[in-house]
Amino acid sequence: MSADETAGDSAVPPGVTASDAVGARERRVTIGDVAAKAQVSKSAVSFVFNGRAGVGEAARERILEAAQELGWRPDARARALSRSRAQSVGLVVRREPELLSTDPFFPQFVAGVESGLSEVKYALVLQVVDGEETETEAYIRFAHESRVDGVFLTDLRTSDDRPAELVRLGLPCVLVGPAAPGQSDEEPIGLDDAAGIRRAVRHLFALGHRRIAHVAGAARYIHSDVRRRAWSEEIAELGLDPGPIIDADFTGAAGARATHELLDLARPPSAIVFANDLMAIAGMSAATERGIRVPHDLSIVGFDDIPLAPYIVPPLTTVRQDVFEWGRACARTLVDIVEGREPTPARLPPVEFIVRSSTGPARER
Amino acid sequence: MSADETAGDSAVPPGVTASDAVGARERRVTIGDVAAKAQVSKSAVSFVFNGRAGVGEAARERILEAAQELGWRPDARARALSRSRAQSVGLVVRREPELLSTDPFFPQFVAGVESGLSEVKYALVLQVVDGEETETEAYIRFAHESRVDGVFLTDLRTSDDRPAELVRLGLPCVLVGPAAPGQSDEEPIGLDDAAGIRRAVRHLFALGHRRIAHVAGAARYIHSDVRRRAWSEEIAELGLDPGPIIDADFTGAAGARATHELLDLARPPSAIVFANDLMAIAGMSAATERGIRVPHDLSIVGFDDIPLAPYIVPPLTTVRQDVFEWGRACARTLVDIVEGREPTPARLPPVEFIVRSSTGPARER
DNA sequence: CTGAAAGCGCTAACAC
DNA sequence: GTGTTAGCGCTTTCAG
């Protein structure tokens, strides 16, 4: 009857479950069994399963059949040991708790990586960490324990020890991040964030906006920096006065706070470009609270195009990247590298600029 | 100058990067090197690193020191082979692309799992798949290749072949899902979804609502079913007429569609309980579009408490679960199982009901 | 309490 | 072409 506000019901005593195949754990079927059944040597079987020539068609058939019937596949552990290759790659993700469940990058990137990996039968071992120390430790473990053959390096920072660290560890990697012109010798694989921001600024300019602010992401990340730079360069190119900029950290709270700060200015902007959708939406909400109408009084642009973007009021104008394909490309490149091939340059789809209703003509003064 | 609407800039020709430790790949340092340096046998080293008794304190010290200096750790592959245990567990996630990047469960669960796993030095191997076939194949590969010692089974379905399949494969697992009273013999580890929904319904009732609708999640999932049931049982318990219910699929589009359907009814509900936040927010948007004010004309409750929930207008009343702890508990249980221990029953925090401004008093008629 | 030796299951030289 | 054999690096039994 009462609508209690926050307290919770008591915990479910959660049951437990195992599906341990009971009974006498039968001996694992091995390559030897397959060889025996097919009446060939173990190496013949090995050859067939590694796609190497040197096995007659007849034998080959028998081997495949025997393996099929026995339900045998090469044991990844044994194979890893003898080939000195784990056939798996690692991804360590470092995230603040709040951003974890809202960040559209991580799940899509992982899905894309998987998609690229599964084609070549590589596995992805994932590690989520919450701090610098645990992150470094994760890479060290990956390397020393030979759990993975290579890793992805994401969320590149403006001053980043990790690439050097990985070289030291002898762990191959691909850098994942926006194209950062001349930032380092190693080119990351990435989409053109900057182009998206430029489009946003031009779009606002065309709508008559002359005072365009930016709410940036956490300053330590290269992708924050790339977006910030693109914004300021485009502003300059259009001959506008540099608009106000506020450093934030990608969280909703920071987006709201930054928006209030901007609106408190003596000369508040008529449009704001946010570094991600979460901040943009929180900012929109903050503005609405103050009686500022979007887009009538204030235009807002986000970045990411989260699935919710079309469904908020008003629907959010934003920048969309194909993160899935990005992940695929990274995966293929990493596999090429660990297998000693020259990576085929990835072709990534261009970023898109999605115009919805959170941007509109600048109001006449 | 022009604000082009959708076309993209051209793709960045993405550079490529390897940090292959160049030069003569020195021989890997092995347990033998450590043993030699510490002037003991290999088994002594092994014993120390496996926490087994039988090594004198002096030797122990020397061994640890030698390992430290050589930067040696047991090779995971070799260890896996000789102990017939991969020391890693698997998670296969099957998701429609749209839901992947918006689903708050997946990233938080993974983070929680990691947290539980890292304490015991297990690794998580992740696989994201997009269909039934690839999903089954993923489990088969995990099992036959001995890549993992056990798996998590999430998104339990009302009719689910996977548990049986896993028993057949001899792959231990934990079932991850809401407490489903008497649905099967194996109790899943999960939070009490139903309690959250019940709280929502009671809350609405207390506000004077008498016609409370439900927009359910995809029917094939147990968690959809649990929520649906909780809603209908609570309605019945309060002596209300069963409100309208619409089956949806957790996407924003479906949430909007369902909301329109409900509002088109001859006798539309005064409140709607959605099975997740994404549908709730899309529904709110749909209502607003039609000139229906939330919460003045229509109260809305979501489920999940995504980080955005407090930042939309009006802030969303919703149900929050501690998915991170849930993941931790599942991880610990799975490790207990694969190591042959009796799992210690997990204690999960209760679900919370978060009242914000998307719910309000029922309007007088 | 310590050391030698036999695998774990597969791959890849190298003879046949 | 096909089979034999020696590892991959660690764990673990079993004598010393």
Side-chain angles (χ1 to χ4, degrees):
Chain A
M1 207 90 5
S2 70
D4 35 0
E5 303 299 321
T6 59
D9 294 76
S10 84
V12 193
V16 142
T17 172
S19 20
D20 224 337
V22 212
R25 249 213 183 298
E26 317 106 53
R27 198 176 62 73
R28 210 173 188 301
V29 8
T30 77
I31 196 174
D33 302 328
V34 177
K37 179 152 194 167
Q39 306 179 64
V40 296
S41 71
K42 294 197 295 176
S43 30
V45 178
S46 176
F47 275 37
V48 168
F49 273 79
N50 289 291
R52 292 174 46 161
V55 180
E57 189 52 38
R60 184 192 160 69
E61 297 261 293
R62 287 207 311 282
I63 290 168
L64 256 14
E65 198 176 319
Q68 176 84 39
E69 281 173 26
L70 265 35
W72 177 86
R73 308 205 191 187
D75 181 295
R77 297 170 304 195
R79 179 191 272 236
L81 183 57
S82 93
R83 303 208 315 189
S84 313
R85 188 169 290 164
Q87 192 129 186
S88 62
V89 295
L91 173 63
V92 3
V93 179
R94 175 170 154 202
R95 279 283 182 291
E96 348 290 326
E98 184 192 345
L99 287 174
L100 230 200
S101 61
T102 195
D103 177 9
F105 173 82
F106 165 58
Q108 294 204 113
F109 185 76
V110 167
V113 163
E114 278 293 340
S115 158
L117 249 31
S118 65
E119 291 169 5
V120 289
K121 308 264 187 246
Y122 269 63
L124 175 67
V125 5
L126 186 74
Q127 181 126 26
V128 181
V129 299
D130 54 7
E132 171 129 22
E133 211 166 308
T134 39
E135 183 180 12
T136 307
E137 169 63 15
Y139 286 116
I140 292 180
R141 272 184 57 198
F142 275 169
H144 281 313
E145 300 182 355
S146 305
R147 262 197 197 279
V148 300
D149 303 321
V151 295
F152 302 96
L153 219 50
T154 64
D155 296 317
L156 267 19
R157 304 193 272 270
T158 44
S159 155
D160 208 324
D161 312 324
R162 294 175 301 165
E165 175 81 15
L166 289 176
V167 172
R168 225 173 38 68
L169 289 169
L171 198 57
C173 74
V174 303
L175 268 28
V176 181
Q183 288 263 19
S184 76
D185 26 316
E186 310 236 36
E187 276 281 300
I189 296 181
L191 299 159
D192 194 358
D193 281 32
I197 294 288
R198 287 220 168 77
R199 301 267 297 281
V201 173
R202 290 200 303 270
H203 163 76
L204 292 167
F205 183 81
L207 287 169
H209 294 275
R210 293 298 176 267
R211 191 156 167 76
I212 302 172
H214 181 48
V215 175
R220 63 182 171 285
Y221 296 116
I222 287 188
H223 60 262
S224 299
D225 200 51
V226 164
R227 292 172 199 183
R228 172 195 290 108
R229 260 205 185 31
W231 163 81
S232 92
E233 286 171 12
E234 193 63 32
I235 295 265
E237 245 166 63
L238 292 170
L240 301 179
D241 289 344
I245 177 165
I246 299 205
D247 275 310
D249 65 2
F250 291 123
T251 63
R257 202 180 320 122
T259 305
H260 282 303
E261 264 184 65
L262 288 170
L263 295 177
D264 285 339
L265 254 31
R267 210 156 67 81
S270 69
I272 310 178
V273 175
F274 288 84
N276 72 347
D277 283 354
L278 178 56
M279 292 198 297
I281 293 173
M284 201 151 95
S285 196
T288 306
E289 250 171 39
R290 299 168 64 122
I292 309 258
R293 309 281 300 269
V294 176
H296 184 254
D297 307 316
L298 178 69
S299 281
I300 283 188
V301 177
F303 198 106
D304 283 341
D305 193 32
I306 62 176
L308 219 41
Y311 296 113
I312 57 166
V313 187
L316 187 66
T317 294
T318 188
V319 176
R320 178 198 296 167
Q321 305 182 318
D322 192 339
V323 177
F324 185 92
E325 278 306 323
W326 188 4
R328 265 177 77 87
C330 291
R332 280 194 295 241
T333 302
L334 184 52
V335 170
D336 281 343
I337 291 173
V338 305
E339 298 197 338
R341 280 190 302 269
E342 184 61 25
T344 52
R347 310 208 94 275
L348 293 180
V351 300
E352 288 178 68
F353 182 58
I354 313 287
V355 176
R356 299 205 180 90
S357 323
S358 67
T359 48
R363 200 175 39 162
E364 315 288 324
R365 313 197 168 216
Chain B
M1 207 87 6
S2 71
D4 36 0
E5 303 299 321
T6 60
D9 295 77
S10 84
V12 193
V16 143
T17 171
S19 17
D20 225 336
V22 212
R25 243 209 189 302
E26 320 102 54
R27 200 176 60 74
R28 208 174 190 303
V29 9
T30 77
I31 195 173
D33 302 328
V34 178
K37 178 153 196 168
Q39 307 178 65
V40 296
S41 71
K42 295 197 293 177
S43 31
V45 179
S46 175
F47 276 33
V48 168
F49 274 79
N50 288 291
R52 290 174 47 160
V55 180
E57 190 51 38
R60 183 191 161 70
E61 298 260 295
R62 287 206 311 280
I63 289 169
L64 256 13
E65 197 176 322
Q68 176 84 38
E69 279 173 27
L70 264 34
W72 177 86
R73 306 205 192 186
D75 180 295
R77 299 168 305 194
R79 179 192 272 239
L81 183 57
S82 91
R83 303 209 314 189
S84 314
R85 188 169 290 163
Q87 193 130 185
S88 63
V89 295
L91 173 61
V92 2
V93 179
R94 176 171 154 202
R95 279 282 183 292
E96 349 290 327
E98 183 192 346
L99 287 175
L100 230 202
S101 60
T102 193
D103 177 8
F105 173 82
F106 165 57
Q108 295 205 113
F109 185 76
V110 167
V113 163
E114 278 294 342
S115 157
L117 249 32
S118 66
E119 291 169 5
V120 289
K121 308 266 186 241
Y122 270 63
L124 175 67
V125 6
L126 185 74
Q127 181 128 24
V128 181
V129 299
D130 55 6
E132 171 129 24
E133 212 166 308
T134 38
E135 183 181 11
T136 308
E137 169 64 14
Y139 286 116
I140 292 179
R141 271 184 56 200
F142 275 169
H144 281 316
E145 300 183 353
S146 305
R147 262 197 196 279
V148 300
D149 303 321
V151 294
F152 302 97
L153 219 49
T154 63
D155 296 317
L156 266 19
R157 304 193 274 270
T158 45
S159 155
D160 208 324
D161 310 326
R162 295 176 300 167
E165 175 81 14
L166 288 176
V167 172
R168 225 172 39 67
L169 289 169
L171 198 57
C173 75
V174 304
L175 269 28
V176 181
Q183 288 263 22
S184 75
D185 26 314
E186 310 237 38
E187 277 280 303
I189 296 181
L191 300 160
D192 195 359
D193 281 31
I197 295 287
R198 287 221 168 77
R199 301 268 296 282
V201 173
R202 290 201 302 271
H203 164 73
L204 292 168
F205 182 82
L207 286 170
H209 294 274
R210 292 300 176 264
R211 193 158 166 75
I212 302 171
H214 180 49
V215 175
R220 63 181 172 285
Y221 296 116
I222 287 188
H223 58 262
S224 300
D225 202 49
V226 164
R227 292 171 200 184
R228 174 196 289 107
R229 259 203 187 29
W231 163 81
S232 92
E233 286 171 10
E234 193 64 30
I235 296 266
E237 244 166 63
L238 292 170
L240 301 179
D241 289 344
I245 177 165
I246 300 205
D247 275 310
D249 64 2
F250 291 123
T251 64
R257 203 181 319 122
T259 304
H260 282 302
E261 264 183 66
L262 288 169
L263 297 176
D264 284 338
L265 254 30
R267 208 155 69 81
S270 69
I272 310 180
V273 176
F274 288 84
N276 73 346
D277 283 354
L278 178 56
M279 293 199 295
I281 293 172
M284 201 151 94
S285 197
T288 306
E289 251 171 39
R290 299 167 64 123
I292 309 257
R293 308 281 299 271
V294 176
H296 184 253
D297 306 317
L298 178 69
S299 281
I300 283 188
V301 178
F303 198 105
D304 283 340
D305 194 32
I306 61 176
L308 218 40
Y311 295 113
I312 57 167
V313 187
L316 186 67
T317 294
T318 189
V319 175
R320 178 197 298 166
Q321 305 182 318
D322 191 339
V323 177
F324 185 91
E325 279 306 324
W326 188 4
R328 265 177 78 87
C330 289
R332 280 194 295 241
T333 301
L334 185 52
V335 170
D336 281 343
I337 291 174
V338 306
E339 297 196 338
R341 279 190 303 269
E342 185 62 25
T344 51
R347 309 207 95 275
L348 293 179
V351 300
E352 287 177 68
F353 183 57
I354 313 287
V355 176
R356 299 205 181 91
S357 323
S358 66
T359 47
R363 200 175 36 161
E364 314 290 322
R365 312 200 168 217

